[in-house]
Amino acid sequence: VCDTNLPHEFKGVRGARVLRLADGSYRMYYHAIDSNSVWRILSASSTNGLAWTRDAGVRIDPTDYCPESTSVRNFAPVIPFAGGDVHLFITMSRCDAGWTDLKSGIYDAVSSNGLDFAVADEPIVENYYVEASYTGQATDPQAMPQDPTVIATTNGVRLYFGVYDGPNVLVNTSGIYSAICPDWDGDRMTDAAEYTAPTDPNDPETL
């Protein structure tokens, strides 16, 4: 799949994640690194999981959301509903020019076709800051949630993530944490149908 003659992939590709779609085909999401070391999320499609064709365009470009950012970091794709919407849970940043009004953390990006994604305005899990000294700048001491992994269950969508030191150490700690989103449509009701995945990843019969 990798061809380093392509501009977006000049320095290679990383971190492929593959989804099996409702029609039995596959879509791969992966990091592509260009000559300026900017990390974007691209995708490719396959009917058999062996021969792949790149999808046109870029799925997520970090500079669309934070002009100074050079990467969207680790991500986890999932299709949590029978309707087929694809969610990408991404470690990334939103900011204005000069790193102002910075919000970093794990964001949910959703797409109805698996190609065109809309990133949420607010992170699901934001970087941890010292509230009294928070300025919204990239130099704020922080601890960063990263490495998202998501499973869809009948009780909601559960997100697992690690916490790591930021560029300025806040705490010397790490670990695996989780959060659950039990109300995707915002109606503050527990609608079991919202959470039913095409296959339950916890059921060994479907693995």
Side-chain angles (χ1 to χ4, degrees), residues 2-3 5 18 50 73 91 110 124 141 156 180 186 188 198-199 205:
C2 177
D3 182 347
N5 289 320
V18 178
L50 298 174
R73 295 178 291 280
T91 306
V110 64
I124 297 171
I180 192 163
R188 299 183 182 275
T199 58
E205 295 299 320

Side-chain angles (χ1 to χ4, degrees), residues 8 13-15 31-34 36-42 60-63 69-74:
H8 288 322
V13 299
R14 301 284 190 280
H31 281 124
I33 310 166
D34 71 12
N36 294 315
S37 297
V38 175
W39 293 51
R40 298 174 176 86
I41 296 177
L42 274 59
I60 303 289
D61 188 322
T63 61
S69 179
T70 59
S71 69
V72 283
R73 295 178 291 280
N74 296 321

Side-chain angles (χ1 to χ4, degrees), residues 166-195:
N168 298 281
V169 175
L170 176 61
V171 289
N172 288 311
T173 187
S174 63
I176 298 174
Y177 301 80
S178 70
I180 192 163
C181 183
D183 182 29
W184 282 70
D185 63 6
D187 65 2
R188 299 183 182 275
M189 296 178 64
T190 302
D191 305 320
E194 291 178 8
Y195 321 134

Side-chain angles (χ1 to χ4, degrees), residues 149-153 155-160 177-181 184:
T149 297
V150 179
I151 60 172
T153 78
N155 293 318
V157 176
R158 185 168 291 279
L159 168 70
Y160 295 89
Y177 301 80
S178 70
I180 192 163
C181 183
W184 282 70

